[in-house]
Amino acid sequence: MEPTPFLEVRNLTKHFPVKGGVLASKGARVHAVDGVSFSMARGETLGLVGESGSGKSTTGRAILRLIEPTSGTVLLEGEDVTRMRGEPLRRLRRDMQMIFQDPFASLDPTMTVASIVGEGIEIHGLVRNRKERDARVVQLLETVGLGAQHLNRRAHEFSGGQRQRIGIARALAVNPKLIVADEPVSALDVSIQAQVVNLLDDLQRQFGLTYLFIAHDLSVVEHVSTRVAVMYLGRIVEIAQAAELYGNPRHPYTEALLSAVPVPDPASKRNRILLEGDVPSPVTPPSGCRFHTRCHMRVPDCSKNEQTLKEIRPGHWVACQVRAP
Ligand code: ADP
Ligand code: MG
């Protein structure tokens, strides 16, 4: 028998009601995530990539129960997360943490670092008093490359890179197993991005963490991902080991995303595939293959047949009737 995967996501679906307007009165729904399935091994990094609006954040939030999925199942070490209540749910809130693009967007700018990083520690009763909390926060600050002198400074005093380090310390504070990092470097200067990505990489080894690493372009996750999943309009269209996905992309959408990634050696420049038009509305997604309206490889049938992932090589799955018939 196969060992139980660390995380298993089965047919995860999240539809939001449309608010306001004619569509709302007709009961229209935003198909944010539509039947997403994948599993993760302990200690791996799965990169989840796709243009803005493809459903990446919603997938991450639904896994963490920050929003309730419409349907589908999420199993963490074999336990059904979607049905948890009470104490098991409380425990889950420690085991799974999120790192946000801007960790301070939802926080009071006058809060101190001690209270931001220490909040989870206190909520989960991991320390007995303020003194213990502060000692633990200092230890966490050092772990993420910041010093004890920051303890009583306030959120608004920090640079983008420092804020993200504080966001990482906050996530680490409760000893999680799984971290969903939702575009953790997208808002940072390019020069700072690599530092934060490297920090996440170091922490993974140090603490045995498993990452779902969300990004909107393929270049950010290339060097940290064990595997990469590409999402388009609520569906995974391709998933493979990182080296395989970058070296042998099969879905036309992956190819287009990859062709936009700058390469260091201009002589080996990939042919740029321009994506036609904008991402269609997830309220009325295209019929058949959802990507067909923008696809450079489309054939007439693509608007008719819904595509499911097919395994074209061990561990390499593609949802495309042209490339993976
Ligand atoms: P991504 O993270 O890939 O940019 P999201 O998961 O944020 O995508 O969003 C997927 C789709 O769901 C988008 O069309 C977005 O507008 C919609 N959406 C996200 N959250 C909500 C919400 N709370 N209510 C209604 N629609 C939402
Ligand atoms: Mg997002």
Side-chain angles (χ1 to χ4, degrees), residues 1 40-41 64 75 88 110 117 144 154 177 205 224 234 243 245 267 285 290 300 319:
M1 223 178 83
M40 289 178 72
L64 265 58
L75 302 167
T110 63
V117 177
V144 299
R154 291 168 202 282
K177 296 174 181 168
R205 253 165 284 142
V224 289
L245 189 110
R290 291 186 177 184

Side-chain angles (χ1 to χ4, degrees), residues 129-166:
N129 52 45
R130 240 336 113 84
K131 197 163 155 246
E132 274 187 24
R133 183 200 71 175
D134 286 354
R136 171 82 177 124
V137 172
V138 166
Q139 188 191 30
L140 286 158
L141 289 176
E142 281 163 0
T143 305
V144 299
L146 295 170
Q149 76 274 18
H150 296 304
L151 191 65
N152 293 310
R153 289 176 65 195
R154 291 168 202 282
H156 66 84
E157 298 176 55
F158 294 94
S159 70
Q162 286 174 322
R163 286 155 78 114
Q164 198 49 287
R165 286 175 195 270
I166 293 165

